[in-house]
Every structure is written in C-alpha cells, then in structure tokens.
Amino acid sequence: QVQPVESGGGSVQAGGSLRLSCAASGRTFSSYAMGWFRQAPGKEREFVAGISWNGGFLYYLDSVKGRFTISRDNAKNTVYLQMNSLKPEDTAVYYCARARGPYYSRSSAEYDYWGQGTQVTVSS
C-alpha cells in the first residue's frame, strides 16, 4: 500500500519561503511520476507542479513558475516542493499524489494515491 505523507506546511508572510516534503512508501516509488496539487477554499483543486519518474520532465503552473521548484530523491522515496516568494494567493491545502505511470498528468484522475494534505497560509 502506497501512502504519501506531506509535511512542511505552515503560515508565513508574503515573500517568505516554505519547503513541502512528501514521503511515499513502496519499493516502486522511483517508477512513478509525482505531482503537487492545491485547493483553496471555494475553488477547484489545481495542478501546481509535476515531476517524471527520473526527474527529467518538470511542469509548473504558470502562476508559480520561477518561484516554486519540484524535485525528488528516489533513494529517500521523497518528493519536494520548494516555494519561494510566496503570495497570499498561494494560500491553500497542498496535496502530494502519485501518478498512475512514469509521466505526470495535469488531471487529478491520473493519480491514484493521495496524501492527506498540508495547509499553507500566506499573509499579506
């Protein structure tokens, strides 16, 4: 059973930084793409960043390009989301999810294991 577990959320002021981590169990972690999604109150869940199985392909939502960096350490079964220059509009619950295959998708339907989410709050 694969169960991603997020950590690293919290409250920061605008312009600050946070690093989210997602540890996923399972021997085949390195075979699957991983993604970070977020959901703000009253809004739909959106795909923020994705990373292919070996880190060779990356995707970022336009609004986070240049500020967020996704990475993974397959030896530690962990994926990261470094978030810099945070803005109040980044406030949301952030979810880590494992894709069904080696390449990411922007569709949440293509992810089969989800973490419980971690709250990120950015104040102005």
Side-chain angles (χ1 to χ4, degrees), residues 17-36:
S17 298
L18 285 172
R19 187 175 84 152
L20 305 184
S21 298
C22 172
S25 58
R27 296 179 182 179
T28 58
F29 173 83
S30 60
S31 299
Y32 296 90
M34 298 293 293
W36 285 97

Side-chain angles (χ1 to χ4, degrees), residues 30-113:
S30 60
S31 299
Y32 296 90
M34 298 293 293
W36 285 97
F37 292 77
R38 68 185 181 187
Q39 187 165 21
K43 295 187 177 181
E44 294 187 354
R45 187 171 298 188
E46 64 180 353
F47 184 54
V48 176
I51 185 167
S52 61
W53 66 281
N54 63 352
F57 293 92
L58 306 176
Y59 170 86
Y60 296 99
L61 183 68
D62 282 347
S63 61
V64 308
K65 283 181 181 176
R67 300 187 297 122
F68 289 13
T69 302
I70 188 171
S71 61
R72 67 188 297 160
D73 184 341
N74 287 340
K76 296 181 179 180
N77 281 15
T78 302
V79 63
Y80 306 95
L81 186 67
Q82 177 67 44
M83 306 185 295
N84 299 328
S85 301
L86 282 161
K87 303 176 180 181
E89 51 263 44
D90 295 318
T91 295
V93 177
Y94 283 71
Y95 299 89
C96 167
R98 195 194 78 169
R100 298 182 188 275
Y103 298 100
Y104 56 77
S105 168
R106 286 178 282 179
S107 170
S108 61
E110 296 303 318
Y111 293 79
D112 51 5
Y113 292 99

